[in-house]
Amino acid sequence: MKLYWELFLAFARVGVMTFGGGYAMIPILEREIVDKHGWATEEELMDYYAVGQCTPGVIAVNTATFIGYKLLGAPGGIVATLGVIFPSVVIITIIAGVLKTFAEVPAVKSAFAGIRVCVCVLIFNAVLKLWKKAVVDKPTLVMFLAVFLLSVFFKISPVWFVVLCAAAGIVLTRTGVRGK
Amino acid sequence: MILLRLFFEFFKAGLFAVGGGMATLPFMYDISTRTGWFTHEMLADMIAVSESTPGPIGVNMATYVGFETAGIPGAVTATIGLVTPSVIVILLIARALKAFRENKTVEAGFYGLRPCSVGLIAAAGFLVVKLALFNTDLYGQSGQLDDLFNVKALALAAVLLVCTRYVKKLKGLHPIFFILASAVIGIVFSF
């Protein structure tokens, strides 16, 4: 029982200290999981993180599930996940409640109009960074353009694109079109 | 029953959003368009809040959207919905981690998934650009081309782009710094 509680607290700390997600999480995970508790080696952590990136869902949650599972089986996976999402749920709920109250104040409206401009730039930078790893040849360029244009001009659920592109990836690799 | 639908919608997002964080975004836009639970403006604000608060971005976005849709029960339901597929998938592959990593078909699938994920995020970004940098409504009413451009916003976007990509001293800074600076500029220049 004590280990479950420790697991929950360790991942709640990771949740609190990760700002912005993704790579920001690695040093904090290393400190909590490898250095402090010795629950996994650095190599294992990197493996979990790599698989977490290429499985569905939030990377932090995937990594938490792996480590929890390794220690205490399926219940451990669930407890670690609950730990990592707990701070977000509390903090965001408070902020969303506060924002709702002040949403109509003119200064708040102006501030968010400015912030939206910044969000454009942040997304643009994120796209450029991901692009380098994703668009590596002509077939991937075509897939990127098709997905981008079709989702801008038509209301199609992203689910379809995900399913079709995964299938296309397999077909293109098997038929040897990949890399051209 | 709105909670059940919330759970289902976020379960779907959790199952199909591959690549973490921002990959959740296109699914949020899809939910917004289909259900009308929250507006596109709210989504753009939510990205800023998610980036400037602790916690994984995908989880933050789910909590925020859930709260806006159905209060605290909504926040909890949406978040649990988002992480449930992750937990199931990871528990399934944890036993065969090595085989999964080295599986050729899985790797080939990801060759196709990666450009898809970037395309979807870029399309979601396009919606934010339309909202933040252009006055499409005003242009629709007046038909005047200069009404289309939100000049102040475009100028700020250009400055931010240069600062985040090319200015050595600034480009390594955490996004929260740029978000706060943009909020101050928005207030000072009454955006």
Side-chain angles (χ1 to χ4, degrees):
Chain A
M1 209 56 219
K2 192 166 163 270
L3 192 54
Y4 280 107
W5 182 238
E6 271 177 30
L7 194 64
F8 181 87
L9 282 184
F11 276 98
R13 270 197 295 273
V14 171
V16 169
M17 288 187 288
T18 307
F19 255 80
Y23 290 105
M25 200 178 63
I26 293 181
I28 296 152
L29 267 178
E30 269 178 12
R31 199 171 58 214
E32 281 293 328
I33 308 306
V34 181
D35 302 342
K36 230 165 108 183
H37 294 285
W39 287 336
T41 64
E42 195 147 339
E43 288 74 31
E44 280 176 312
L45 199 62
M46 283 298 130
D47 275 358
Y48 295 155
Y49 192 78
V51 177
Q53 265 181 314
C54 58
T55 40
V58 181
I59 301 171
V61 171
N62 296 352
T63 313
T65 309
F66 266 128
I67 294 165
Y69 175 81
K70 192 196 162 210
L71 281 179
L72 293 161
I78 293 166
V79 167
T81 299
L82 290 176
V84 87
I85 66 176
F86 179 72
S88 288
V89 174
V90 174
I91 294 167
I92 296 288
T93 302
I94 293 169
I95 290 179
V98 172
L99 275 183
K100 223 174 186 172
T101 317
F102 295 102
E104 293 308 314
V105 177
V108 175
K109 278 188 161 173
S110 299
F112 271 102
I115 285 173
R116 273 177 220 154
V117 176
C118 185
V119 170
C120 292
V121 176
L122 294 178
I123 297 180
F124 180 76
N125 288 340
V127 166
L128 276 190
K129 202 170 134 197
L130 293 168
W131 165 285
K132 281 180 204 151
K133 275 189 194 164
V135 181
V136 290
D137 51 17
K138 275 183 202 148
T140 44
L141 179 65
V142 172
M143 277 194 270
F144 166 80
L145 287 175
V147 170
F148 174 70
L149 293 172
L150 286 173
S151 34
V152 164
F153 290 110
F154 301 98
K155 280 183 191 165
I156 305 171
S157 166
V159 172
W160 293 111
F161 293 115
V162 170
V163 172
L164 288 174
C165 285
I170 296 169
V171 172
L172 290 169
T173 306
R174 293 258 164 95
T175 52
V177 180
R178 178 176 181 173
K180 290 190 178 150
Chain B
M1 177 77 180
I2 194 154
L3 289 182
L4 213 61
R5 276 198 68 195
L6 257 180
F7 183 87
F8 173 72
E9 289 293 345
F10 281 89
F11 185 92
K12 217 165 67 179
L15 186 60
F16 289 99
V18 181
M22 286 285 184
T24 326
L25 190 58
F27 289 88
M28 305 284 166
Y29 272 102
D30 184 48
I31 295 172
S32 159
T33 311
R34 277 184 301 112
T35 63
W37 287 338
F38 45 90
T39 61
H40 284 183
E41 280 91 345
M42 269 163 59
L43 270 175
D45 299 345
M46 183 191 74
I47 301 166
V49 172
S50 303
E51 287 260 25
S52 21
T53 44
I57 296 175
V59 172
N60 290 352
M61 289 205 273
T63 304
Y64 194 108
V65 168
F67 182 83
E68 290 289 345
T69 310
I72 293 175
V76 175
T77 309
T79 310
I80 300 284
L82 182 81
V83 302
T84 303
S86 289
V87 174
I88 296 172
V89 171
I90 297 293
L91 289 180
L92 287 177
I93 62 170
R95 291 152 212 251
L97 182 63
K98 216 165 161 231
F100 179 84
R101 283 203 72 181
E102 286 161 9
N103 187 299
K104 285 213 171 79
T105 308
V106 171
E107 197 274 334
F110 278 98
Y111 164 74
L113 277 176
R114 268 178 244 124
C116 174
S117 185
V118 189
L120 288 173
I121 298 170
F126 178 79
L127 289 175
V128 187
V129 167
K130 211 167 83 179
L131 179 82
L133 307 184
F134 297 95
N135 309 310
T136 40
D137 290 346
L138 190 64
Y139 173 66
Q141 283 164 18
S142 70
Q144 300 260 292
L145 197 59
D146 22 322
D147 281 343
L148 178 62
F149 301 102
N150 185 342
V151 179
K152 279 190 241 177
L154 283 166
L156 176 60
V159 172
L160 285 171
L161 198 63
V162 172
C163 289
T164 52
R165 299 199 65 80
Y166 302 109
V167 181
K168 268 218 175 89
K169 276 189 182 157
L170 295 175
K171 69 179 181 185
L173 288 176
H174 194 277
I176 193 172
F177 169 81
F178 297 105
I179 291 171
L180 288 177
S182 306
V184 173
I185 292 169
I187 295 172
V188 172
F189 293 94
S190 58
F191 269 47

